[in-house]
PDB file of all heavy atoms in Angstrom:
ATOM      1  N   ASP S  24     107.887  82.788  83.279  1.00  0.00           N
ATOM      2  CA  ASP S  24     106.457  82.915  83.494  1.00  0.00           C
ATOM      3  C   ASP S  24     105.774  83.185  82.150  1.00  0.00           C
ATOM      4  O   ASP S  24     105.971  84.230  81.540  1.00  0.00           O
ATOM      5  CB  ASP S  24     106.174  84.065  84.474  1.00  0.00           C
ATOM      6  CG  ASP S  24     104.757  84.014  85.024  1.00  0.00           C
ATOM      7  OD1 ASP S  24     103.881  83.441  84.354  1.00  0.00           O
ATOM      8  OD2 ASP S  24     104.523  84.554  86.117  1.00  0.00           O
ATOM      9  N   GLU S  25     104.978  82.219  81.695  1.00  0.00           N
ATOM     10  CA  GLU S  25     104.335  82.336  80.387  1.00  0.00           C
ATOM     11  C   GLU S  25     102.942  82.961  80.480  1.00  0.00           C
ATOM     12  O   GLU S  25     102.262  83.100  79.470  1.00  0.00           O
ATOM     13  CB  GLU S  25     104.224  80.944  79.738  1.00  0.00           C
ATOM     14  CG  GLU S  25     105.561  80.287  79.455  1.00  0.00           C
ATOM     15  CD  GLU S  25     106.417  81.068  78.468  1.00  0.00           C
ATOM     16  OE1 GLU S  25     105.849  81.729  77.599  1.00  0.00           O
ATOM     17  OE2 GLU S  25     107.659  81.014  78.599  1.00  0.00           O
ATOM     18  N   ARG S  26     102.517  83.303  81.680  1.00  0.00           N
ATOM     19  CA  ARG S  26     101.189  83.891  81.824  1.00  0.00           C
ATOM     20  C   ARG S  26     101.148  85.298  81.237  1.00  0.00           C
ATOM     21  O   ARG S  26     102.161  85.996  81.185  1.00  0.00           O
ATOM     22  CB  ARG S  26     100.797  83.952  83.305  1.00  0.00           C
ATOM     23  CG  ARG S  26     100.641  82.596  83.970  1.00  0.00           C
ATOM     24  CD  ARG S  26     100.354  82.747  85.445  1.00  0.00           C
ATOM     25  NE  ARG S  26     101.447  83.452  86.131  1.00  0.00           N
ATOM     26  CZ  ARG S  26     101.380  83.886  87.393  1.00  0.00           C
ATOM     27  NH1 ARG S  26     100.280  83.712  88.088  1.00  0.00           N
ATOM     28  NH2 ARG S  26     102.410  84.496  87.939  1.00  0.00           N
ATOM     29  N   LYS S  27      99.978  85.726  80.825  1.00  0.00           N
ATOM     30  CA  LYS S  27      99.822  87.088  80.332  1.00  0.00           C
ATOM     31  C   LYS S  27     100.034  88.074  81.489  1.00  0.00           C
ATOM     32  O   LYS S  27      99.756  87.772  82.653  1.00  0.00           O
ATOM     33  CB  LYS S  27      98.437  87.286  79.724  1.00  0.00           C
ATOM     34  CG  LYS S  27      98.289  86.617  78.365  1.00  0.00           C
ATOM     35  CD  LYS S  27      97.001  87.034  77.682  1.00  0.00           C
ATOM     36  CE  LYS S  27      96.960  86.486  76.258  1.00  0.00           C
ATOM     37  NZ  LYS S  27      95.736  86.910  75.542  1.00  0.00           N
ATOM     38  N   VAL S  28     100.519  89.261  81.131  1.00  0.00           N
ATOM     39  CA  VAL S  28     100.843  90.284  82.129  1.00  0.00           C
ATOM     40  C   VAL S  28      99.688  91.271  82.258  1.00  0.00           C
ATOM     41  O   VAL S  28      99.158  91.764  81.250  1.00  0.00           O
ATOM     42  CB  VAL S  28     102.128  91.046  81.729  1.00  0.00           C
ATOM     43  CG1 VAL S  28     102.387  92.210  82.686  1.00  0.00           C
ATOM     44  CG2 VAL S  28     103.314  90.091  81.710  1.00  0.00           C
ATOM     45  N   ILE S  29      99.332  91.553  83.502  1.00  0.00           N
ATOM     46  CA  ILE S  29      98.335  92.589  83.805  1.00  0.00           C
ATOM     47  C   ILE S  29      99.013  93.669  84.632  1.00  0.00           C
ATOM     48  O   ILE S  29      99.767  93.378  85.568  1.00  0.00           O
ATOM     49  CB  ILE S  29      97.133  92.005  84.564  1.00  0.00           C
ATOM     50  CG1 ILE S  29      96.161  91.361  83.568  1.00  0.00           C
ATOM     51  CG2 ILE S  29      96.420  93.070  85.392  1.00  0.00           C
ATOM     52  CD1 ILE S  29      94.848  90.928  84.159  1.00  0.00           C
ATOM     53  N   PHE S  30      98.763  94.924  84.282  1.00  0.00           N
ATOM     54  CA  PHE S  30      99.249  96.055  85.080  1.00  0.00           C
ATOM     55  C   PHE S  30      98.061  96.899  85.509  1.00  0.00           C
ATOM     56  O   PHE S  30      97.167  97.189  84.709  1.00  0.00           O
ATOM     57  CB  PHE S  30     100.219  96.936  84.291  1.00  0.00           C
ATOM     58  CG  PHE S  30     100.685  98.144  85.075  1.00  0.00           C
ATOM     59  CD1 PHE S  30     101.835  98.088  85.852  1.00  0.00           C
ATOM     60  CD2 PHE S  30      99.936  99.320  85.087  1.00  0.00           C
ATOM     61  CE1 PHE S  30     102.232  99.178  86.612  1.00  0.00           C
ATOM     62  CE2 PHE S  30     100.324 100.416  85.846  1.00  0.00           C
ATOM     63  CZ  PHE S  30     101.479 100.345  86.606  1.00  0.00           C
ATOM     64  N   SER S  31      98.077  97.316  86.764  1.00  0.00           N
ATOM     65  CA  SER S  31      97.077  98.275  87.230  1.00  0.00           C
ATOM     66  C   SER S  31      97.641  99.041  88.410  1.00  0.00           C
ATOM     67  O   SER S  31      98.601  98.615  89.049  1.00  0.00           O
ATOM     68  CB  SER S  31      95.776  97.569  87.628  1.00  0.00           C
ATOM     69  OG  SER S  31      94.715  98.498  87.705  1.00  0.00           O
ATOM     70  N   GLY S  32      97.056 100.186  88.681  1.00  0.00           N
ATOM     71  CA  GLY S  32      97.525 101.008  89.795  1.00  0.00           C
ATOM     72  C   GLY S  32      96.454 101.960  90.271  1.00  0.00           C
ATOM     73  O   GLY S  32      95.457 102.193  89.578  1.00  0.00           O
ATOM     74  N   ALA S  33      96.666 102.499  91.454  1.00  0.00           N
ATOM     75  CA  ALA S  33      95.731 103.474  92.017  1.00  0.00           C
ATOM     76  C   ALA S  33      96.526 104.517  92.792  1.00  0.00           C
ATOM     77  O   ALA S  33      97.586 104.222  93.352  1.00  0.00           O
ATOM     78  CB  ALA S  33      94.719 102.785  92.937  1.00  0.00           C
ATOM     79  N   GLN S  34      95.994 105.724  92.806  1.00  0.00           N
ATOM     80  CA  GLN S  34      96.672 106.809  93.511  1.00  0.00           C
ATOM     81  C   GLN S  34      96.485 106.691  95.023  1.00  0.00           C
ATOM     82  O   GLN S  34      95.408 106.314  95.493  1.00  0.00           O
ATOM     83  CB  GLN S  34      96.125 108.167  93.051  1.00  0.00           C
ATOM     84  CG  GLN S  34      96.535 108.559  91.659  1.00  0.00           C
ATOM     85  CD  GLN S  34      96.253 110.023  91.377  1.00  0.00           C
ATOM     86  OE1 GLN S  34      96.385 110.885  92.251  1.00  0.00           O
ATOM     87  NE2 GLN S  34      95.874 110.316  90.145  1.00  0.00           N
ATOM     88  N   PRO S  35      97.501 107.060  95.799  1.00  0.00           N
ATOM     89  CA  PRO S  35      97.374 107.081  97.257  1.00  0.00           C
ATOM     90  C   PRO S  35      96.823 108.426  97.727  1.00  0.00           C
ATOM     91  O   PRO S  35      97.444 109.126  98.513  1.00  0.00           O
ATOM     92  CB  PRO S  35      98.824 106.897  97.724  1.00  0.00           C
ATOM     93  CG  PRO S  35      99.620 107.597  96.673  1.00  0.00           C
ATOM     94  CD  PRO S  35      98.884 107.363  95.370  1.00  0.00           C
ATOM     95  N   SER S  36      95.657 108.756  97.199  1.00  0.00           N
ATOM     96  CA  SER S  36      95.123 110.099  97.463  1.00  0.00           C
ATOM     97  C   SER S  36      94.105 110.118  98.598  1.00  0.00           C
ATOM     98  O   SER S  36      93.295 111.032  98.705  1.00  0.00           O
ATOM     99  CB  SER S  36      94.486 110.667  96.183  1.00  0.00           C
ATOM    100  OG  SER S  36      93.574 109.747  95.639  1.00  0.00           O
ATOM    101  N   GLY S  37      94.136 109.132  99.446  1.00  0.00           N
ATOM    102  CA  GLY S  37      93.197 109.082 100.560  1.00  0.00           C
ATOM    103  C   GLY S  37      92.702 107.666 100.743  1.00  0.00           C
ATOM    104  O   GLY S  37      93.160 106.726 100.100  1.00  0.00           O
ATOM    105  N   LYS S  38      91.760 107.484 101.611  1.00  0.00           N
ATOM    106  CA  LYS S  38      91.230 106.158 101.883  1.00  0.00           C
ATOM    107  C   LYS S  38      90.522 105.601 100.657  1.00  0.00           C
ATOM    108  O   LYS S  38      89.811 106.317  99.959  1.00  0.00           O
ATOM    109  CB  LYS S  38      90.241 106.215 103.051  1.00  0.00           C
ATOM    110  CG  LYS S  38      90.822 106.744 104.351  1.00  0.00           C
ATOM    111  CD  LYS S  38      91.831 105.795 104.952  1.00  0.00           C
ATOM    112  CE  LYS S  38      92.297 106.270 106.321  1.00  0.00           C
ATOM    113  NZ  LYS S  38      93.389 105.442 106.850  1.00  0.00           N
ATOM    114  N   LEU S  39      90.723 104.309 100.409  1.00  0.00           N
ATOM    115  CA  LEU S  39      89.996 103.648  99.339  1.00  0.00           C
ATOM    116  C   LEU S  39      88.535 103.475  99.747  1.00  0.00           C
ATOM    117  O   LEU S  39      88.204 103.443 100.936  1.00  0.00           O
ATOM    118  CB  LEU S  39      90.629 102.288  99.045  1.00  0.00           C
ATOM    119  CG  LEU S  39      92.081 102.329  98.562  1.00  0.00           C
ATOM    120  CD1 LEU S  39      92.634 100.913  98.446  1.00  0.00           C
ATOM    121  CD2 LEU S  39      92.193 103.049  97.232  1.00  0.00           C
ATOM    122  N   THR S  40      87.675 103.356  98.754  1.00  0.00           N
ATOM    123  CA  THR S  40      86.242 103.261  99.024  1.00  0.00           C
ATOM    124  C   THR S  40      85.704 101.870  98.703  1.00  0.00           C
ATOM    125  O   THR S  40      86.364 101.048  98.061  1.00  0.00           O
ATOM    126  CB  THR S  40      85.456 104.287  98.189  1.00  0.00           C
ATOM    127  OG1 THR S  40      85.512 103.892  96.805  1.00  0.00           O
ATOM    128  CG2 THR S  40      86.013 105.694  98.362  1.00  0.00           C
ATOM    129  N   LEU S  41      84.463 101.674  99.111  1.00  0.00           N
ATOM    130  CA  LEU S  41      83.751 100.456  98.739  1.00  0.00           C
ATOM    131  C   LEU S  41      83.703 100.321  97.221  1.00  0.00           C
ATOM    132  O   LEU S  41      83.805  99.218  96.674  1.00  0.00           O
ATOM    133  CB  LEU S  41      82.329 100.504  99.319  1.00  0.00           C
ATOM    134  CG  LEU S  41      81.392  99.361  98.951  1.00  0.00           C
ATOM    135  CD1 LEU S  41      81.892  98.050  99.532  1.00  0.00           C
ATOM    136  CD2 LEU S  41      79.973  99.657  99.432  1.00  0.00           C
ATOM    137  N   GLY S  42      83.573 101.451  96.528  1.00  0.00           N
ATOM    138  CA  GLY S  42      83.564 101.440  95.065  1.00  0.00           C
ATOM    139  C   GLY S  42      84.879 100.955  94.501  1.00  0.00           C
ATOM    140  O   GLY S  42      84.904 100.187  93.528  1.00  0.00           O
ATOM    141  N   ASN S  43      86.012 101.399  95.083  1.00  0.00           N
ATOM    142  CA  ASN S  43      87.329 100.913  94.644  1.00  0.00           C
ATOM    143  C   ASN S  43      87.439  99.401  94.829  1.00  0.00           C
ATOM    144  O   ASN S  43      88.002  98.704  93.984  1.00  0.00           O
ATOM    145  CB  ASN S  43      88.451 101.578  95.439  1.00  0.00           C
ATOM    146  CG  ASN S  43      88.549 103.072  95.227  1.00  0.00           C
ATOM    147  OD1 ASN S  43      88.631 103.842  96.190  1.00  0.00           O
ATOM    148  ND2 ASN S  43      88.536 103.516  93.981  1.00  0.00           N
ATOM    149  N   TYR S  44      86.895  98.914  95.935  1.00  0.00           N
ATOM    150  CA  TYR S  44      86.999  97.488  96.239  1.00  0.00           C
ATOM    151  C   TYR S  44      86.165  96.648  95.279  1.00  0.00           C
ATOM    152  O   TYR S  44      86.673  95.722  94.647  1.00  0.00           O
ATOM    153  CB  TYR S  44      86.555  97.239  97.687  1.00  0.00           C
ATOM    154  CG  TYR S  44      86.522  95.778  98.069  1.00  0.00           C
ATOM    155  CD1 TYR S  44      87.667  94.994  98.005  1.00  0.00           C
ATOM    156  CD2 TYR S  44      85.332  95.170  98.492  1.00  0.00           C
ATOM    157  CE1 TYR S  44      87.639  93.644  98.348  1.00  0.00           C
ATOM    158  CE2 TYR S  44      85.294  93.829  98.840  1.00  0.00           C
ATOM    159  CZ  TYR S  44      86.455  93.073  98.764  1.00  0.00           C
ATOM    160  OH  TYR S  44      86.425  91.745  99.100  1.00  0.00           O
ATOM    161  N   LEU S  45      84.877  96.988  95.149  1.00  0.00           N
ATOM    162  CA  LEU S  45      83.990  96.185  94.312  1.00  0.00           C
ATOM    163  C   LEU S  45      84.252  96.401  92.825  1.00  0.00           C
ATOM    164  O   LEU S  45      84.044  95.498  92.013  1.00  0.00           O
ATOM    165  CB  LEU S  45      82.523  96.499  94.648  1.00  0.00           C
ATOM    166  CG  LEU S  45      82.068  96.127  96.061  1.00  0.00           C
ATOM    167  CD1 LEU S  45      80.608  96.499  96.261  1.00  0.00           C
ATOM    168  CD2 LEU S  45      82.278  94.641  96.325  1.00  0.00           C
ATOM    169  N   GLY S  46      84.716  97.605  92.463  1.00  0.00           N
ATOM    170  CA  GLY S  46      84.951  97.905  91.061  1.00  0.00           C
ATOM    171  C   GLY S  46      86.320  97.512  90.564  1.00  0.00           C
ATOM    172  O   GLY S  46      86.516  97.305  89.367  1.00  0.00           O
TER     173      GLY S  46
END
Side-chain angles (χ1 to χ4, degrees):
D24 195 335
E25 297 298 329
R26 295 176 300 170
K27 286 190 173 182
V28 174
I29 278 188
F30 177 91
S31 197
Q34 288 193 36
S36 51
K38 301 292 186 187
L39 298 174
T40 69
L41 176 65
N43 296 131
Y44 175 60
L45 295 180

